[in-house]
Amino acid sequence: MSLPALSFADVVQPVWNVSPRVRALVTTRNGGVSQPPFGRWQAGADHPGGLNLGMKAGDDPAAVATNRARLLALAGVSEAAWLEQIHGAGIVRAEDVLAQAHAGGTPTRADASVTDRPGTVCVVMVADCMPVLLCDAAGRAVGAAHAGWRGLAAGIVEQTAQRVAELAGVTVASLHACLGPAIGPDAFEVGADVRDAFMNDVDATQRDATANAFVQHPHNAGKYLADLPALARLRLRRLGVTQVVGGDLCTVTQRERFYSYRRDRETGRMAALIWLDDQAQAIAD
C-alpha cells in the first residue's frame, strides 16, 4: 500500500513577523515510510508511515533516506546541512557542512549551523531537545541550534544568535527566534546538577526567574521539573531578544505528533529546518 506524500499538514511552521524570504519548519513523526517502532501513533498503536529522519536511531536506512527525500521535496530544496550532533555548543557554517559532505568527508560534528546563502538549509535533529531557529526580520541570515540542557547551559543559543546577527549585519537584540517542539515543563525531570548548571551562570537580574524554571518534583525527592522553553527565553532575553515565538509543544505528552527519546527510548528523530528562499530578495529595513 502506497502512503500519501508528506504535506505541510504534517509539519509545524513558525508564526512570526519576518520576511517571506525566511523559510522554516519542524517535522513531526507523521508523513513518512518508517515502520514501527518508528511509525505513526494512532489509536494506541504504532503504525507504518513514520517520518524518522535519524540515520542512527536503528531504523531501516532506506526508509530514512526516503523520509529525508520527502522532506527535501516538501521544502523545495535539493539538500540540507545534516550534522553529527554531540550535545555541545559547536557552531558551523551550513555551506561548509555541505562542502565537506560533497568531498566525501566525515559528517561535521556540531550542534548549530548558520548561513547567509540563499538555498542553503540549516538543520538540526531532535527528539526532546529544543530546536531554536533564528533569523533577522529582513531575511539576510538564519541559524538553527540544537538546544538540550547541556547546549543551552553552554551558551549555544547566545553564540548562534551572535553569529546570525553578524552575518545579517544587525544587532542581536533585533533578531527573531522560534522555539520548536521539545520536552515540556511537566515531563522534564532533572537532578540538582542541571539546576546548578544554570544557577551558577546567571546574573542577579535573572536569578529568581531561573530558579522559578525549576520546580521541586512532587514525588521524587532531590529531583526537579525543568522548564526548558522558559530557560531558553531567559537566555534570549539576556541578549535583548524579545521577539520569540513557540515553546508550547511538548514532545513527551503529544505522542500522536512527536517522537520522544525520554518517553520511548527506541524512537525516531524529527528535524528543524531554516533557510533563505533563493527566489526572493532580502527586504530593506
Side-chain angles (χ1 to χ4, degrees):
M1 180 181 71
S2 63
L3 294 166
L6 180 67
S7 76
F8 282 105
D10 297 313
V11 302
V12 177
Q13 294 180 278
V15 179
W16 51 4
N17 187 27
V18 300
S19 167
R21 174 178 164 92
V22 178
R23 303 288 306 281
L25 61 87
V26 185
T27 65
T28 66
R29 69 185 299 163
N30 302 316
V33 301
S34 290
Q35 302 292 311
F38 308 100
R40 296 179 296 111
W41 186 262
Q42 186 177 9
D46 202 352
H47 299 273
L51 191 74
N52 170 43
L53 300 164
M55 283 292 187
K56 295 185 177 181
D59 197 359
D60 177 4
V64 178
T66 297
N67 290 339
R68 289 189 175 191
R70 282 180 163 224
L71 173 59
L72 296 179
L74 180 70
V77 297
S78 60
E79 59 184 353
W82 302 98
L83 301 170
E84 182 179 340
Q85 296 167 198
I86 55 176
H87 294 274
I91 304 166
V92 292
R93 291 285 295 258
E95 50 268 32
D96 293 340
V97 175
L98 292 174
Q100 183 164 324
H102 294 164
T106 58
T108 302
R109 304 185 79 202
D111 283 271
S113 65
V114 299
T115 191
D116 59 352
R117 295 190 181 182
T120 298
V121 181
C122 300
V123 56
V124 293
M125 284 190 293
V126 292
D128 283 331
C129 291
M130 175 170 289
V132 179
L133 303 177
L134 295 152
C135 69
D136 67 295
R140 297 188 182 94
V142 296
H146 165 239
W149 77 261
R150 290 180 180 83
L152 195 59
I156 193 167
V157 169
E158 297 96 315
Q159 294 173 48
T160 306
Q162 185 63 50
R163 294 281 294 273
V164 171
E166 290 172 355
L167 288 175
V170 300
T171 63
V172 175
S174 70
L175 294 180
H176 291 247
C178 174
L179 310 181
I183 188 169
D186 295 328
F188 192 19
E189 181 180 319
V190 302
D193 59 325
V194 177
R195 184 179 186 274
D196 291 346
F198 288 91
M199 293 301 297
N200 293 337
D201 182 35
V202 65
D203 60 39
T205 64
Q206 292 191 337
R207 187 165 186 81
D208 288 346
T210 301
N212 289 339
F214 294 88
V215 177
Q216 188 76 45
H217 198 288
H219 308 298
N220 197 345
K223 297 292 185 178
Y224 297 86
L225 292 173
D227 191 334
L228 196 61
L231 292 166
R233 286 178 180 272
L234 285 169
R235 292 277 170 153
L236 289 164
R237 189 181 305 165
R238 186 188 298 183
L239 298 175
V241 178
T242 59
Q243 300 174 103
V244 184
V245 301
D248 56 348
L249 297 175
C250 177
T251 51
V252 176
T253 58
Q254 297 183 47
R255 188 168 196 162
E256 74 286 356
R257 296 191 73 189
F258 303 117
Y259 293 120
S260 168
Y261 179 79
R262 182 164 289 216
R263 183 189 63 225
D264 298 327
R265 294 301 176 182
E266 186 178 20
T267 192
R269 299 296 185 271
M270 300 165 296
L273 284 65
I274 189 166
W275 70 102
L276 298 172
D277 187 344
D278 57 6
Q279 302 299 313
Q281 296 296 317
I283 63 173
D285 291 330

